[in-house]
Amino acid sequence: GSTFKVVPITAALAEQIVTPQTTFDLPYSIQVADRVIHDSHSRETERMSVAEVLWRSSNVGTVTIARRLGPERLAAWIDRFGFGQGTGLAFPGESPGIVLPEEQWSGSTIGNVPIGQGIAVTGLQMAGAYAAVANRGVWVQPHLVDRIAGGPATAPKQRRVVPRKVARTMSRLLVGVVDTDGGTGSLAAVPGYHVAGKTGTAQKPVPGGYSASKYVASFVGFVPATKPRLVILVMVDEPQDAIWGGVVAAPAFQSIAQFALQYLEVPPDAPLTAP
């Protein structure tokens, strides 16, 4: 779903194809090969910046950016973030996900992969990608063991995925998803802290396509955004009534983050002021 939009937008920023201020005239829907891609809510044609595309989770805007990036570079960035391969967690049963090689892409793949369709990733891979942005662009291999027999565990592998400057920019954009009027993640806000994150509402795959009634709602983000301590991913399988990640998963993120920040005694990075 839309939590994957961090990949094409980060890639386009890193490749200097766009800046957060680059604007596009975006209709409600666009044709990509044999598919029609549309936004989640009907609207008139609007001019949106790259920042607004992310804040409002525009499918049409994300695909427009990805088409400028092109299949070859997008596929390379998907691999660079670690999708389609195990994380090296050293825990049995980890799935590498399902990522189609770029040479097998069809004409419509550039229209569905950037918005999180036609690709399957694990929650651990997604959390790792957002952790890389939080960690100023450095991916740290996920690990379960903190120490062995009183001594430290083997240090996890690290590699730079995103340039430091681009990671800082992306962090600010993800804060806008929560803090900006019209942002889809407002219910993830934690008083006293800057929260960076992204909503996702994914149709579940069924034989021949995607379900029109079964979804996975999600929110993934990190906090405090200015000096991250926690990455939290919430996934709700087949939510009832409301289906949107910003409505279903974001409040759970908020509750978990608020409790964890207090438990760990993490100082606020957006202190509340008296009126």
Side-chain angles (χ1 to χ4, degrees), residues 20 30 92 107 116 180:
I30 55 171
T180 306

Side-chain angles (χ1 to χ4, degrees):
S2 292
T3 54
F4 194 76
K5 290 172 181 173
V6 71
V7 176
I9 294 178
T10 298
L13 292 170
E15 298 285 352
Q16 299 183 342
I17 293 169
V18 297
T19 72
Q21 295 76 38
T22 303
T23 58
F24 303 93
D25 289 320
L26 302 174
Y28 165 64
S29 64
I30 55 171
Q31 183 93 27
V32 182
D34 60 341
R35 305 251 180 146
V36 175
I37 308 296
H38 59 79
D39 277 358
S40 58
H41 297 85
S42 182
R43 59 171 177 78
E44 300 296 326
T45 296
E46 293 184 49
R47 192 163 188 83
M48 292 188 207
S49 66
V50 170
E52 289 170 323
V53 165
L54 186 68
W55 298 340
R56 298 172 59 180
S57 199
S58 169
N59 292 332
V60 173
T62 304
V63 171
T64 300
I65 294 167
R67 290 170 94 176
R68 283 198 174 188
L69 188 64
E72 184 176 350
R73 285 188 288 191
L74 177 56
W77 275 90
I78 290 171
D79 178 73
R80 187 167 177 165
F81 267 104
F83 297 110
Q85 54 195 287
T87 64
L89 182 67
F91 198 75
E94 183 186 9
S95 169
I98 304 172
V99 178
L100 199 65
E102 189 260 331
E103 59 268 19
Q104 296 180 26
W105 285 22
S106 68
S108 62
T109 304
I110 195 68
N112 62 8
V113 165
I115 60 175
Q117 289 191 343
I119 186 170
V121 309
T122 68
L124 191 62
Q125 289 171 333
M126 188 62 73
Y130 278 76
V133 175
N135 200 33
R136 302 298 182 259
V138 176
W139 180 87
V140 178
Q141 185 180 52
H143 50 289
L144 291 173
V145 178
D146 179 57
R147 57 188 62 250
I148 300 173
T154 303
K157 296 178 181 178
Q158 300 185 18
R159 57 184 171 84
R160 178 160 295 282
V161 175
V162 182
R164 177 181 290 268
K165 183 178 180 181
V166 175
R168 285 199 303 266
T169 298
M170 200 66 206
S171 293
R172 290 195 298 270
L173 294 183
L174 290 169
V175 168
V177 172
V178 178
D179 286 354
T180 306
D181 287 342
T184 59
S186 60
L187 295 181
V190 179
Y193 297 87
H194 291 298
V195 174
K198 184 72 187 72
T199 56
T201 307
Q203 293 172 283
K204 298 190 75 171
V206 295
Y210 286 89
S211 173
S213 60
K214 297 181 179 180
Y215 298 83
V216 175
S218 60
F219 187 92
V220 57
F222 49 89
V223 64
T226 57
K227 193 174 182 181
R229 287 286 306 277
L230 300 167
V231 172
I232 300 168
L233 182 147
V234 176
M235 298 172 63
V236 183
D237 188 30
E238 296 188 18
Q240 304 299 308
D241 300 323
I243 63 169
W244 307 107
V247 176
V248 176
F253 173 98
Q254 191 270 349
S255 296
I256 295 166
Q258 189 166 35
F259 175 84
L261 290 164
Q262 292 174 352
Y263 179 80
L264 296 171
E265 299 182 348
V266 178
D269 65 339
L272 302 174
T273 57

